[in-house]
Amino acid sequence: MKRRLLAIFLPILILLSGCSSDPVQDDLLNYVNKEMKEAAKLEGTAVSAYEGVSGTNYQDDQTMYDVLNRDVIPSYSEFIKELDSVKIETDEVREIHEIYIEGADIQFNAFAIIKQAIEEQDADLIQKANDMLSDARKHLREYQTKLNKLAKEHDVKIEK
């Protein structure tokens, strides 16, 4: 009986010990599945609130101003804090995360400028904020592209 169990489990143990550990893969899995979970929720809340009062959903300046003050800016501020607290072990993941932080900072500042533009009724500030939002989107697309590439290189599947 012992020999049979040993004959069954020994090859499995050898296979497991033969697998090399990939620290980037481990870090990516932790990053996507654990570290970024709360950040994603906070970002979703802020962006959803903003989208609810901008573009085709725009109603009036006061509504946008109220939502920016009450929902968007506080949620996005928490999101930025959460991004800053994410624990990352490898340079490869850290480099990509920094792109995300940079894009998020630009977007957060754009929201603050929109608030200021409404207060001052300054169309030039709105244009500046819109340019910043466009720049932030470029950073976030770059982040997503590089994250997907790194995940593919390290055999990590990211579900959308």
Side-chain angles (χ1 to χ4, degrees):
M1 181 73 169
K2 279 186 179 179
R3 275 194 176 157
R4 219 150 139 209
L5 287 176
L6 193 56
I8 293 170
F9 288 111
L10 189 58
I12 293 170
L13 293 173
I14 292 169
L15 285 175
L16 291 176
S17 65
C19 295
S20 65
S21 179
D22 181 349
V24 174
Q25 182 185 55
D26 294 343
D27 199 23
L28 263 174
L29 288 167
N30 183 59
Y31 177 75
V32 172
N33 293 324
K34 293 183 181 133
E35 292 294 328
M36 290 299 289
K37 245 188 173 61
E38 185 61 26
K41 288 179 196 172
L42 291 166
E43 181 185 33
T45 298
V47 170
S48 179
Y50 178 72
E51 288 173 348
V53 295
S54 64
T56 58
N57 295 319
Y58 176 81
Q59 296 167 23
D60 56 63
D61 283 356
Q62 190 60 52
T63 301
M64 179 175 273
Y65 186 81
D66 292 343
V67 170
L68 281 167
N69 273 329
R70 183 186 62 236
D71 302 318
V72 176
I73 291 173
S75 293
Y76 215 85
S77 178
E78 286 301 311
F79 164 61
I80 298 276
K81 286 179 193 169
E82 188 66 29
L83 281 182
D84 288 338
S85 74
V86 167
K87 292 171 185 62
I88 297 170
E89 300 295 323
T90 60
D91 291 340
E92 294 86 344
V93 176
R94 187 173 294 106
E95 180 182 309
I96 291 170
H97 185 68
E98 289 300 322
I99 296 167
Y100 198 2
I101 289 173
E102 189 174 342
D105 285 342
I106 293 167
Q107 187 155 293
F108 179 72
N109 289 325
F111 292 145
I113 289 173
I114 293 169
K115 178 184 165 201
Q116 179 186 357
I118 293 170
E119 290 168 350
E120 298 175 13
Q121 291 297 294
D122 186 336
D124 290 337
L125 284 178
I126 290 291
Q127 184 57 52
K128 178 180 178 180
N130 285 336
D131 291 345
M132 291 172 73
L133 289 173
S134 177
D135 188 31
R137 281 191 296 275
K138 286 179 192 168
H139 280 79
L140 298 177
R141 279 193 303 271
E142 179 185 3
Y143 160 81
Q144 196 61 57
T145 299
K146 288 187 174 187
L147 181 68
N148 289 338
K149 183 177 184 251
L150 188 65
K152 189 175 182 181
E153 289 170 0
H154 292 273
D155 201 26
V156 173
K157 184 175 181 184
I158 297 177
E159 295 181 7
K160 302 203 173 3

